[in-house]
Amino acid sequence: MALNEDTVRQLILDLFKDQLTNDEIERLIPLVSRQFDVSERLAELDLGGLDPRSTQYITDRRLSP
């Protein structure tokens, strides 16, 4: 589910309130949007039954030779 620009802007405003200028918010919008996209793609990966919330990368069997 891709987030639209207005939703991302509102998420940033909710989190940072008066701490950022409008220019800073506009600069963050594409970065936050891209991070959401990457997170969605990672969530779709098959981890071979491993729970990504409790598996350290060093013990991820897909990375071991």
Side-chain angles (χ1 to χ4, degrees):
M1 174 186 105
L3 296 177
N4 68 39
E5 191 173 301
D6 291 334
T7 303
V8 174
R9 182 181 288 107
Q10 191 58 52
L11 288 170
I12 294 169
L13 286 170
D14 290 347
L15 186 60
F16 293 104
K17 298 184 179 30
D18 301 339
Q19 299 175 27
L20 300 173
T21 67
N22 285 337
D23 288 340
E24 290 171 322
I25 291 170
E26 292 304 314
R27 186 168 186 311
L28 283 174
I29 289 171
L31 300 173
V32 172
S33 295
R34 185 175 18 184
Q35 184 59 43
F36 271 106
D37 292 341
V38 168
S39 293
E40 276 192 353
R41 288 198 317 262
L42 288 173
E44 293 170 356
L45 290 177
D46 177 14
L47 299 178
L50 297 174
D51 182 352
R53 294 166 295 190
S54 64
T55 301
Q56 299 293 322
Y57 77 94
I58 198 71
T59 60
D60 187 339
R61 285 171 277 182
R62 295 169 304 147
L63 302 175
S64 300

